[in-house]
Coordinates of all heavy atoms in Angstrom, one line a residue:
Chain C
L11 N 77.4 166.7 118.0 CA 78.8 167.1 117.9 C 79.2 166.9 116.4 O 78.9 165.9 115.8 CB 79.7 166.1 118.7 CG 81.2 166.3 118.8 CD1 81.6 167.7 119.3 CD2 81.8 165.2 119.6
I12 N 79.8 168.0 115.9 CA 80.3 167.9 114.5 C 81.8 168.1 114.5 O 82.3 169.0 115.1 CB 79.7 169.0 113.7 CG1 78.2 168.9 113.6 CG2 80.2 169.0 112.2 CD1 77.4 170.0 112.9
V13 N 82.5 167.1 113.9 CA 84.0 167.1 113.9 C 84.5 167.0 112.5 O 83.9 166.2 111.7 CB 84.5 166.0 114.8 CG1 86.0 165.8 114.7 CG2 84.0 166.2 116.3
Q14 N 85.6 167.6 112.2 CA 86.2 167.4 110.9 C 86.9 166.1 110.9 O 87.5 165.6 111.9 CB 87.3 168.6 110.8 CG 87.6 168.9 109.3 CD 86.6 169.8 108.7 OE1 86.0 170.6 109.3 NE2 86.6 169.7 107.3
K15 N 87.0 165.5 109.7 CA 87.7 164.3 109.5 C 89.2 164.4 110.0 O 89.8 165.4 109.7 CB 87.7 163.9 108.0 CG 88.5 162.6 107.7 CD 88.5 162.3 106.2 CE 89.4 161.1 105.9 NZ 89.5 160.8 104.5
G16 N 89.6 163.4 110.8 CA 91.0 163.5 111.4 C 91.0 164.1 112.7 O 92.1 164.0 113.4
S19 N 87.1 163.5 118.6 CA 85.7 163.6 119.1 C 85.7 163.3 120.6 O 86.3 162.3 121.0 CB 84.7 162.7 118.4 OG 84.8 162.9 117.0
I21 N 83.2 162.9 124.0 CA 81.9 162.9 124.6 C 82.0 162.6 126.1 O 82.8 161.8 126.5 CB 81.0 161.8 123.9 CG1 81.0 162.0 122.4 CG2 79.6 161.8 124.5 CD1 80.4 160.8 121.7
Y36 N 78.2 152.5 123.9 CA 77.5 151.9 122.8 C 77.5 152.8 121.6 O 77.3 154.1 121.8 CB 76.1 151.5 123.2 CG 76.0 150.2 124.0 CD1 76.3 150.1 125.3 CD2 75.7 149.0 123.3 CE1 76.2 149.0 126.0 CE2 75.7 147.8 124.0 CZ 76.0 147.8 125.4 OH 75.9 146.6 126.1
Q37 N 77.5 152.3 120.4 CA 77.5 153.0 119.2 C 76.2 152.5 118.4 O 76.0 151.3 118.3 CB 78.7 152.7 118.3 CG 78.8 153.4 117.0 CD 80.0 152.8 116.2 OE1 80.1 151.6 115.9 NE2 80.8 153.7 115.7
Q38 N 75.4 153.5 117.9 CA 74.2 153.1 117.3 C 74.1 153.8 115.9 O 74.1 155.0 115.9 CB 73.0 153.4 118.1 CG 71.6 153.0 117.5 CD 70.5 153.2 118.4 OE1 70.5 154.2 119.2 NE2 69.4 152.4 118.3
F39 N 73.9 153.0 114.9 CA 73.7 153.6 113.5 C 72.2 153.6 113.3 O 71.4 152.8 113.9 CB 74.4 152.7 112.5 CG 75.9 152.8 112.5 CD1 76.6 151.8 113.1 CD2 76.5 154.0 112.1 CE1 78.0 151.9 113.1 CE2 77.9 154.1 112.2 CZ 78.7 153.0 112.7
P40 N 71.7 154.5 112.4 CA 70.3 154.6 112.2 C 69.6 153.3 111.8 O 70.2 152.5 110.9 CB 70.2 155.6 111.0 CG 71.4 156.5 111.2 CD 72.5 155.5 111.7
G41 N 68.5 152.9 112.4 CA 67.8 151.7 112.1 C 68.4 150.5 112.7 O 67.9 149.4 112.4
K42 N 69.4 150.6 113.5 CA 70.1 149.4 114.1 C 70.0 149.5 115.6 O 69.8 150.6 116.1 CB 71.6 149.4 113.7 CG 71.8 149.4 112.2 CD 71.4 148.1 111.5 CE 71.8 148.0 110.1 NZ 71.3 146.8 109.4
L47 N 80.9 149.2 122.1 CA 82.1 149.8 121.5 C 83.3 149.5 122.4 O 84.3 149.0 121.9 CB 81.9 151.3 121.3 CG 82.9 152.1 120.5 CD1 83.0 151.6 119.1 CD2 82.6 153.6 120.5
R61 N 91.3 153.4 118.0 CA 91.2 154.8 118.0 C 90.2 155.3 119.1 O 90.0 156.5 119.3 CB 90.6 155.3 116.6 CG 91.5 155.1 115.4 CD 90.9 155.7 114.2 NE 89.7 155.0 113.7 CZ 88.5 155.5 113.8 NH1 88.3 156.8 114.2 NH2 87.4 154.9 113.4
F62 N 89.7 154.4 119.9 CA 88.7 154.7 120.9 C 89.4 154.6 122.3 O 90.0 153.6 122.6 CB 87.5 153.8 120.8 CG 86.8 153.9 119.5 CD1 87.1 153.0 118.5 CD2 85.8 154.8 119.3 CE1 86.5 153.1 117.2 CE2 85.2 154.9 118.1 CZ 85.5 154.1 117.0
L75 N 84.5 159.5 126.4 CA 84.9 158.7 125.2 C 85.7 159.7 124.3 O 85.2 160.8 124.0 CB 83.7 158.1 124.5 CG 84.0 157.4 123.2 CD1 84.8 156.1 123.5 CD2 82.7 157.1 122.4
I77 N 87.5 159.8 120.5 CA 87.7 159.1 119.3 C 88.8 159.9 118.5 O 88.6 161.0 118.1 CB 86.4 159.1 118.4 CG1 85.2 158.4 119.2 CG2 86.6 158.3 117.1 CD1 83.9 158.5 118.5
M78 N 89.9 159.2 118.4 CA 91.0 159.9 117.7 C 90.9 159.7 116.2 O 90.3 158.7 115.7 CB 92.3 159.2 118.2 CG 92.5 159.1 119.7 SD 92.4 160.7 120.5 CE 94.0 161.3 120.1
D79 N 91.5 160.6 115.4 CA 91.4 160.5 113.9 C 90.0 160.1 113.5 O 89.8 159.1 112.7 CB 92.5 159.4 113.5 CG 92.6 159.3 112.0 OD1 92.4 160.4 111.3 OD2 93.0 158.3 111.5
S80 N 89.0 160.9 113.9 CA 87.7 160.6 113.5 C 87.4 160.5 112.0 O 88.0 161.3 111.2 CB 86.8 161.7 114.1 OG 86.9 161.8 115.5
Q81 N 86.6 159.5 111.7 CA 86.3 159.2 110.3 C 84.8 159.4 110.0 O 84.0 159.2 110.9 CB 86.8 157.8 109.9 CG 88.2 157.6 110.1 CD 89.1 158.4 109.2 OE1 88.8 158.5 108.0 NE2 90.1 159.1 109.8
P82 N 84.5 159.7 108.7 CA 83.0 159.8 108.4 C 82.2 158.5 108.8 O 81.1 158.6 109.2 CB 83.0 160.0 106.9 CG 84.3 160.7 106.6 CD 85.3 160.1 107.6
G83 N 82.9 157.4 108.8 CA 82.2 156.1 109.2 C 81.9 156.1 110.6 O 81.2 155.2 111.1
D84 N 82.5 157.0 111.4 CA 82.2 157.0 112.9 C 80.9 157.8 113.1 O 80.5 157.8 114.3 CB 83.4 157.7 113.6 CG 84.7 157.0 113.5 OD1 84.7 155.8 113.4 OD2 85.7 157.7 113.6
S85 N 80.4 158.4 112.1 CA 79.1 159.2 112.3 C 78.0 158.3 112.8 O 77.6 157.3 112.1 CB 78.7 159.9 111.0 OG 79.7 160.8 110.6
A86 N 77.5 158.5 114.0 CA 76.6 157.6 114.6 C 76.1 158.3 115.9 O 76.6 159.4 116.2 CB 77.2 156.3 114.9
T87 N 75.2 157.7 116.6 CA 74.8 158.1 118.0 C 75.6 157.3 119.0 O 75.6 156.1 118.9 CB 73.3 158.1 118.2 OG1 72.7 158.9 117.2 CG2 73.0 158.6 119.6
Y88 N 76.2 157.9 119.9 CA 76.9 157.3 121.0 C 76.2 157.4 122.3 O 75.8 158.5 122.7 CB 78.4 157.8 121.1 CG 79.2 157.5 119.8 CD1 79.0 158.3 118.7 CD2 80.0 156.4 119.8 CE1 79.7 157.9 117.5 CE2 80.7 156.1 118.6 CZ 80.6 156.9 117.5 OH 81.2 156.6 116.3
F89 N 76.1 156.3 123.0 CA 75.5 156.3 124.4 C 76.5 155.8 125.4 O 77.1 154.8 125.2 CB 74.3 155.3 124.4 CG 73.1 155.8 123.6 CD1 73.0 155.3 122.3 CD2 72.2 156.6 124.0 CE1 71.9 155.7 121.5 CE2 71.1 157.0 123.3 CZ 71.0 156.6 122.0
T107 N 74.7 161.1 122.1 CA 75.3 162.1 121.4 C 75.4 161.8 119.9 O 75.9 160.7 119.6 CB 76.8 162.4 121.9 OG1 76.7 162.8 123.3 CG2 77.5 163.4 121.1
R108 N 74.8 162.6 119.1 CA 74.8 162.4 117.7 C 76.1 163.0 117.1 O 76.2 164.2 117.1 CB 73.6 163.0 117.0 CG 73.6 162.8 115.5 CD 72.3 163.2 114.9 NE 71.2 162.3 115.2 CZ 70.0 162.3 114.8 NH1 69.7 163.3 113.9 NH2 69.0 161.5 115.1
L109 N 77.0 162.1 116.7 CA 78.3 162.6 116.1 C 78.2 162.6 114.6 O 77.8 161.6 114.0 CB 79.4 161.7 116.6 CG 80.8 161.9 115.9 CD1 81.3 163.2 116.3 CD2 81.8 160.8 116.3
T110 N 78.6 163.7 114.0 CA 78.8 163.8 112.6 C 80.2 164.2 112.3 O 80.7 165.2 112.8 CB 77.8 164.9 112.0 OG1 76.5 164.6 112.3 CG2 78.0 165.0 110.5
V111 N 80.9 163.3 111.5 CA 82.2 163.6 111.0 C 82.2 164.0 109.6 O 81.8 163.3 108.7 CB 83.1 162.4 111.2 CG1 84.6 162.7 110.8 CG2 83.1 161.9 112.7
I112 N 82.6 165.3 109.3 CA 82.5 165.8 108.0 C 83.9 165.6 107.2 O 84.9 165.8 107.8 CB 82.1 167.3 108.0 CG1 83.0 168.1 108.9 CG2 80.6 167.4 108.4 CD1 82.6 169.6 108.9
P113 N 83.8 165.2 106.0 CA 85.0 164.9 105.2 C 85.9 166.2 105.0 O 85.4 167.3 105.1 CB 84.5 164.4 103.9 CG 83.1 164.0 104.1 CD 82.6 164.9 105.2

Side-chain angles (χ1 to χ4, degrees):
Chain C
L11 180 62
I12 299 174
V13 172
Q14 202 84 26
K15 178 183 175 182
S19 304
I21 305 170
Y36 280 80
Q37 180 187 56
Q38 185 178 31
F39 292 104
K42 304 290 186 182
L47 188 63
R61 296 185 294 110
F62 301 91
L75 175 69
I77 305 174
M78 312 299 286
D79 186 26
S80 299
Q81 299 297 311
D84 296 332
S85 297
T87 299
Y88 293 80
F89 292 95
T107 296
R108 179 172 291 184
L109 171 66
T110 303
V111 181
I112 52 178

